[in-house]
Amino acid sequence: MAIRICSQKEIITFWLETDHSLYQMQVDGYGLLHHLWYGEKTDCEMQYLLDYPDVGFSGNLYEAENQRTYSLDTRPQEYACAGVGDYRIPAVSAVHADGSNALDLRYVNHTIRKGKYRISGLPAMYAEDDAAETLEIRLKDTASDVEVTLKDGVLPALDMITRCAEIHNQGETDVILTRAASFCLDIPYGSSWEWMHFHGRHTMERQVERMPLLHGIQESSSRRGASSHQQNPTLLLCQPDCTETSGVCIGAALVYSGSFQTQVELDQLGQVRVVMGIHPDLFRWTLHAGETFATPEAMLSYSGTGMETLSHNFHRAMRDHICRGKYQHIERPVLINNWEATYFDFNAEKILHIAEEAARLGVDMLVLDDGWFGKRNSDVSGLGDWVVNEKKLQGGLGSLVDKIRAMGMRFGIWFEPEMVSEDSDLYRTHPEWAIQIPGRQPNRGRYQLLLDMTNPDVVEYLYDAMCKILRCADISYVKWDMNRSICDWYTSTLPAARQGEMAHRYMLGLYSLLERLTSEFPDVLFEGCSGGGGRFDAGMLYYCPQIWCSDDTDAYERTKIQYGTSFFYPISAVGSHVSIVPNHQTGRVTPLESRAVTAMAGSFGYELDLNHLSETEKEEVRKQIAQFKAFGSLIHNGKYYRLTNPMTDKAAIWSFVTQDASEVLVQGMQFRTEPNMVRYVVRLRGLSSEKQYRLEGTEQVYSGAALMYGGVLLPRSWGDYTPVSMHFVEA
Ligand code: DGJ
């Protein structure tokens, strides 16, 4: 049993146990739901760690009478409310019919059931009924009929706990929600913490930043209508001595792709509060009598053995319990994408020429990127007109796809469904479908406007238009792009008082379209994209098992982007391609093999015209494809280890180890070569000390203990950005 309850009179303690963690909450005599513990498994009720200080200017609960030590401002809570004397970040805030803004939630009852809850219309973790349990705790406001159901999914073998909240208006009058976070985690037990988050910009996503917590609030968020390149909806809290392989850390990932806010507060007593969920600045939701609002889900995991274990927990959970569909576990096709090879300048002949060489070298699929539809010869026009441009693709899509199929390859195609160009037939027919505030000029991003995904007519149009294309030819893959941030929030589908619902309703519209299309075309592999990795989150992974990681294809920069991405997201989710040098984003020249090993730490492909390579390079490409196919399962289903930190070290080295530790592939690149170079030693991890391993291509055999405690010497390098690839197999 993953969920246990102990009650003594009105004190109820909830034990949520996974294989290696314990989450504990307790209802006290006032009905307040306290947070007690999230950490190592103990057999103790951890309430003994709670302190009840008498803190000036932290007022007291009325019922506590003269008890000056009972303050909502100091109590660790499970879903903190605004307006009643807790001055820290609230998880929920509601305005009542009389204009007051207060909630004081107290315990009503709870239920436990087998299996993991689902959230209607939103992505969430899923599991077999015998692999999860759900706890629902019902809380009620002391003065109104607002109720909250906190839902916890406990997935013991995955060391995962999920949390979402449902807010119900059981009264007769409207209630306006101005904040409804997915979870609130209070950490009262006095140790110091650091936080790690993942920031960046277009072509430079998920750079790692780790800092001590400062008193007050620190935040990582997006107001862009998408989870964004700038911040990622994930967070790692760790104790200062936490490393990859030791120490305490807690990770949280939001299963949501829209605007979000993660706040971490270090309060006056040194307690930590984390609140994560929909960004409240873009959220104002009216709950009519009888209505319920469901928040997105957050995934939580704890590790007492460093960040590596935490990453393994998230990788497994995302790969096996967020991603879905036919491609979830099977090998992904090696693809060639024409974007960096041609940009908009192509016709059928050019594409077929690229395809022919790719087929000859063993590539599985050709992906036709932006520019195949409408009047789309540059990025100023055509979006929304999902009709094949026969001037470019003489003979239509069917004929092109047939020819590519005849070469033994499959075919994939690019869409950017949520967008419209002003110079398009769609905009000329339906200007009212574009997001725009009446009386204001809209903001343009990459010359384009957004379609109002809250409008069911828009969603219906996109569904029909995309189905038509996907049915007109043998199409096996869709790249779903999204190339701008969202502002000018206004929709004609909602009255003035409800415009604050639009940002979340946009996401609901998007998710409904993704759900319909992925169910209608179960054999099609959907890859997410947003100018690279601007919407790289667990929400999108629910529909798309892989996401184009970044528009930066420079192998050196990619090692850092992929390093940051790897803290939460599995390798199979990372779309990664070999491109031409000098690189189109940085002008950097890196060896072909280094580009390949970097791209292999993902869902592998090429993004160049292979006809331009020399015969020797083509031979190398043929070998790379064979190598990726040979190692595909190890790379995608093995355990991933970050062996160096490319942000600070001289090399980016990582490894993949089979679950039974019988095989390890060590790959990466050494950044610079120095004269009289001292060779770099990297210690491997995750092997068995007792096993013997042979380095492939040699007769050398090493014990697991030697490889882990002594390490391996990286090859002596010549030139910069030199590749590393070593395969050890149990001897
Ligand atoms: C942004 C994507 O990330 C690129 O790979 C490419 O598809 C372009 N959009 C096309 O406009």
Coordinates of all heavy atoms in Angstrom, one line a residue, residues 202 205 229 337 339-340 343-344 369-371 376 379 383 414-416 446 448 479 481-483 528-533 548-553 577 607, ligand 1:
H202 N 16.1 32.0 -27.4 CA 16.0 31.2 -28.7 C 17.4 30.8 -29.1 O 18.4 31.6 -29.0 CB 15.4 32.1 -29.8 CG 15.3 31.4 -31.1 ND1 15.6 32.0 -32.3 CD2 14.9 30.2 -31.4 CE1 15.4 31.2 -33.3 NE2 15.0 30.0 -32.8
E205 N 18.6 27.3 -25.3 CA 17.7 26.9 -24.2 C 18.3 26.2 -23.1 O 19.4 25.6 -23.2 CB 16.6 26.0 -24.8 CG 15.7 26.6 -26.0 CD 16.4 26.5 -27.3 OE1 17.6 26.2 -27.4 OE2 15.6 26.6 -28.3
H229 N 11.5 29.4 -24.3 CA 12.9 29.2 -24.4 C 13.6 29.8 -23.1 O 14.7 29.4 -22.7 CB 13.6 30.0 -25.6 CG 13.0 29.6 -26.9 ND1 11.8 30.2 -27.4 CD2 13.4 28.8 -27.8 CE1 11.6 29.7 -28.6 NE2 12.6 28.9 -28.9
N337 N 16.0 16.3 -42.6 CA 15.1 17.4 -42.6 C 15.7 18.4 -43.6 O 16.9 18.6 -43.5 CB 14.9 18.0 -41.2 CG 14.1 19.2 -41.2 OD1 14.3 20.2 -41.9 ND2 13.0 19.2 -40.4
W339 N 15.3 21.7 -43.8 CA 15.3 23.1 -43.4 C 16.6 23.8 -43.7 O 16.7 24.7 -44.4 CB 14.8 23.3 -42.0 CG 14.7 24.7 -41.6 CD1 15.4 25.2 -40.5 CD2 13.9 25.8 -42.1 NE1 15.1 26.6 -40.4 CE2 14.2 26.9 -41.4 CE3 13.0 25.8 -43.2 CZ2 13.6 28.2 -41.7 CZ3 12.5 27.1 -43.5 CH2 12.8 28.2 -42.7
E340 N 17.7 23.3 -43.0 CA 18.9 24.0 -43.1 C 19.6 23.8 -44.5 O 20.5 24.5 -44.9 CB 19.9 23.6 -42.0 CG 19.5 24.3 -40.7 CD 20.7 24.3 -39.7 OE1 21.9 24.1 -40.1 OE2 20.4 24.5 -38.5
Y343 N 16.1 25.9 -46.7 CA 15.2 26.9 -46.2 C 14.0 26.9 -47.1 O 13.5 25.9 -47.5 CB 15.9 28.3 -46.0 CG 17.0 28.2 -44.9 CD1 18.3 28.2 -45.3 CD2 16.6 28.1 -43.6 CE1 19.3 28.0 -44.3 CE2 17.6 27.9 -42.6 CZ 18.9 27.9 -43.0 OH 19.9 27.7 -42.0
F344 N 13.5 28.1 -47.6 CA 12.3 28.1 -48.4 C 12.5 27.8 -49.9 O 11.6 27.7 -50.7 CB 11.6 29.5 -48.3 CG 11.0 29.8 -46.9 CD1 11.7 30.6 -46.1 CD2 9.9 29.1 -46.5 CE1 11.2 30.9 -44.8 CE2 9.4 29.4 -45.2 CZ 10.1 30.3 -44.4
D369 N 10.2 20.4 -44.5 CA 9.9 21.4 -43.5 C 9.1 22.6 -44.1 O 8.5 22.4 -45.1 CB 11.3 21.9 -42.9 CG 11.2 22.4 -41.5 OD1 10.8 23.5 -41.3 OD2 11.5 21.6 -40.6
D370 N 9.1 23.7 -43.5 CA 8.4 24.9 -43.8 C 8.5 25.3 -45.3 O 9.6 25.2 -45.9 CB 9.0 26.1 -43.0 CG 8.1 27.3 -42.9 OD1 7.0 27.3 -43.6 OD2 8.4 28.2 -42.2
G371 N 7.4 25.7 -45.9 CA 7.4 26.2 -47.3 C 6.7 25.4 -48.3 O 6.7 25.8 -49.5
R376 N 4.1 30.5 -49.7 CA 5.0 30.5 -48.6 C 6.5 30.3 -49.2 O 7.1 29.3 -49.1 CB 4.7 29.3 -47.7 CG 5.6 29.2 -46.4 CD 5.3 30.2 -45.4 NE 6.0 29.9 -44.1 CZ 6.1 30.8 -43.1 NH1 5.5 32.0 -43.2 NH2 6.7 30.5 -42.0
D379 N 9.2 33.8 -44.8 CA 8.3 33.7 -43.6 C 7.3 34.9 -43.5 O 6.7 35.0 -42.5 CB 9.2 33.6 -42.4 CG 10.3 34.6 -42.3 OD1 10.3 35.5 -43.1 OD2 11.2 34.4 -41.4
L383 N 1.0 31.3 -43.9 CA 0.6 30.4 -42.7 C -0.9 30.4 -42.6 O -1.6 31.4 -42.7 CB 1.2 31.0 -41.4 CG 2.7 30.8 -41.3 CD1 3.3 31.5 -40.1 CD2 3.1 29.3 -41.2
W414 N 5.9 19.3 -42.1 CA 6.0 20.4 -41.1 C 4.6 21.1 -41.1 O 4.0 21.4 -42.2 CB 7.1 21.3 -41.5 CG 7.3 22.5 -40.7 CD1 8.2 22.7 -39.6 CD2 6.6 23.8 -40.8 NE1 8.1 24.0 -39.1 CE2 7.2 24.7 -39.8 CE3 5.7 24.3 -41.7 CZ2 6.8 26.0 -39.7 CZ3 5.3 25.6 -41.5 CH2 5.8 26.5 -40.5
F415 N 4.1 21.4 -40.0 CA 3.0 22.3 -39.8 C 3.3 23.4 -38.8 O 4.0 23.1 -37.8 CB 1.7 21.6 -39.3 CG 1.0 20.7 -40.3 CD1 1.3 19.3 -40.4 CD2 0.1 21.2 -41.2 CE1 0.7 18.5 -41.3 CE2 -0.6 20.4 -42.1 CZ -0.3 19.0 -42.2
E416 N 2.6 24.5 -38.9 CA 2.6 25.5 -37.7 C 1.2 25.9 -37.5 O 0.7 27.0 -37.8 CB 3.5 26.7 -38.0 CG 3.8 27.4 -36.8 CD 4.7 28.6 -37.0 OE1 5.2 28.9 -38.1 OE2 5.0 29.3 -36.0
R446 N 7.8 37.2 -35.9 CA 8.2 36.6 -37.2 C 7.2 36.9 -38.3 O 6.8 36.1 -39.0 CB 8.4 35.1 -37.1 CG 9.3 34.5 -38.1 CD 9.2 33.0 -38.2 NE 10.2 32.4 -39.0 CZ 10.2 31.1 -39.5 NH1 9.2 30.3 -39.1 NH2 11.1 30.7 -40.2
Q448 N 4.1 37.1 -38.1 CA 2.9 36.4 -38.1 C 2.0 36.7 -36.9 O 2.5 37.2 -35.8 CB 3.1 34.9 -38.2 CG 3.9 34.3 -37.0 CD 4.8 33.0 -37.5 OE1 5.4 33.0 -38.5 NE2 4.7 32.0 -36.6
K479 N 5.9 17.4 -37.9 CA 6.6 18.4 -37.0 C 5.7 19.5 -36.7 O 5.3 20.2 -37.6 CB 7.9 18.8 -37.7 CG 8.7 19.8 -36.9 CD 10.0 20.1 -37.7 CE 10.8 21.2 -37.0 NZ 12.0 21.6 -37.8
D481 N 5.2 22.9 -35.2 CA 6.1 24.1 -34.9 C 5.2 25.2 -34.3 O 4.0 25.2 -34.4 CB 6.8 24.6 -36.1 CG 8.1 25.3 -35.9 OD1 8.3 25.6 -34.7 OD2 8.8 25.5 -36.8
M482 N 5.8 26.2 -33.6 CA 5.1 27.3 -33.0 C 6.2 28.4 -32.8 O 7.0 28.3 -32.0 CB 4.6 26.9 -31.7 CG 3.6 27.7 -31.0 SD 4.3 29.0 -30.0 CE 2.9 29.6 -29.1
N483 N 6.1 29.4 -33.7 CA 7.3 30.3 -33.8 C 7.1 31.7 -33.3 O 7.8 32.7 -33.8 CB 7.7 30.4 -35.3 CG 8.5 29.1 -35.6 OD1 9.5 28.8 -35.0 ND2 8.0 28.4 -36.6
G528 N 7.3 17.7 -31.5 CA 6.9 19.0 -31.0 C 8.1 19.9 -31.4 O 9.2 19.5 -31.6
C529 N 7.8 21.2 -31.5 CA 8.8 22.2 -31.8 C 8.3 23.6 -31.5 O 7.1 23.8 -31.7 CB 9.2 22.1 -33.3 SG 10.4 23.3 -33.9
S530 N 9.1 24.5 -31.1 CA 8.7 25.9 -31.0 C 10.0 26.7 -31.2 O 10.7 27.0 -30.3 CB 8.1 26.1 -29.7 OG 7.8 27.5 -29.5
G531 N 10.3 27.0 -32.5 CA 11.5 27.6 -32.8 C 12.6 26.9 -32.1 O 13.4 27.5 -31.4
G532 N 12.6 25.6 -32.3 CA 13.5 24.7 -31.5 C 12.8 24.3 -30.2 O 11.7 23.9 -30.2
G533 N 13.4 24.6 -29.0 CA 12.9 24.1 -27.8 C 12.2 25.1 -26.9 O 12.3 25.2 -25.7
W548 N 11.9 18.9 -31.0 CA 13.1 19.5 -31.5 C 13.7 20.4 -30.5 O 13.1 21.3 -30.0 CB 12.7 20.3 -32.8 CG 13.8 21.0 -33.5 CD1 13.8 22.2 -34.0 CD2 15.1 20.4 -34.0 NE1 15.0 22.5 -34.6 CE2 15.8 21.4 -34.6 CE3 15.7 19.2 -33.8 CZ2 17.1 21.2 -35.2 CZ3 17.0 19.0 -34.3 CH2 17.7 20.0 -35.0
C549 N 15.0 20.0 -30.1 CA 15.5 20.6 -28.8 C 15.9 22.0 -28.9 O 15.8 22.8 -27.9 CB 16.7 19.7 -28.4 SG 17.4 20.0 -26.9
S550 N 16.4 22.4 -30.1 CA 16.9 23.8 -30.2 C 17.1 24.1 -31.7 O 17.5 23.2 -32.5 CB 18.2 24.0 -29.5 OG 18.7 25.3 -29.7
D551 N 16.9 25.3 -32.1 CA 17.3 25.7 -33.5 C 18.8 25.9 -33.6 O 19.3 26.2 -34.7 CB 16.6 27.0 -33.9 CG 15.2 26.8 -34.5 OD1 14.9 25.6 -34.8 OD2 14.4 27.7 -34.6
D552 N 19.5 25.7 -32.5 CA 21.0 25.8 -32.6 C 21.5 24.3 -32.9 O 21.3 23.5 -32.0 CB 21.6 26.3 -31.3 CG 23.1 26.5 -31.4 OD1 23.6 26.1 -32.5 OD2 23.7 27.0 -30.4
T553 N 22.0 24.1 -34.1 CA 22.5 22.8 -34.4 C 24.1 22.7 -34.2 O 24.7 21.7 -34.6 CB 22.1 22.4 -35.8 OG1 22.6 23.3 -36.7 CG2 20.6 22.2 -35.9
H577 N 20.0 16.9 -34.6 CA 20.4 16.6 -36.0 C 21.9 17.0 -36.2 O 22.3 18.0 -35.7 CB 19.5 17.4 -37.0 CG 18.1 17.0 -37.0 ND1 17.1 17.8 -37.6 CD2 17.4 16.0 -36.3 CE1 15.9 17.2 -37.3 NE2 16.1 16.2 -36.6
E607 N 20.3 17.3 -41.1 CA 19.7 18.5 -41.5 C 20.6 19.3 -42.5 O 21.2 20.3 -42.2 CB 19.2 19.4 -40.3 CG 18.3 20.5 -40.8 CD 17.4 21.0 -39.6 OE1 17.1 20.2 -38.7 OE2 17.0 22.1 -39.7
Ligands
DGJ1 C1 11.6 26.8 -36.5 C2 12.0 25.4 -36.3 O1 12.6 25.2 -35.1 C3 13.0 25.1 -37.5 O2 13.5 23.8 -37.3 C4 12.2 25.2 -38.8 O3 11.2 24.2 -38.8 C5 11.6 26.6 -38.9 N1 10.9 27.0 -37.8 C6 10.7 26.7 -40.1 O4 10.1 27.9 -40.2

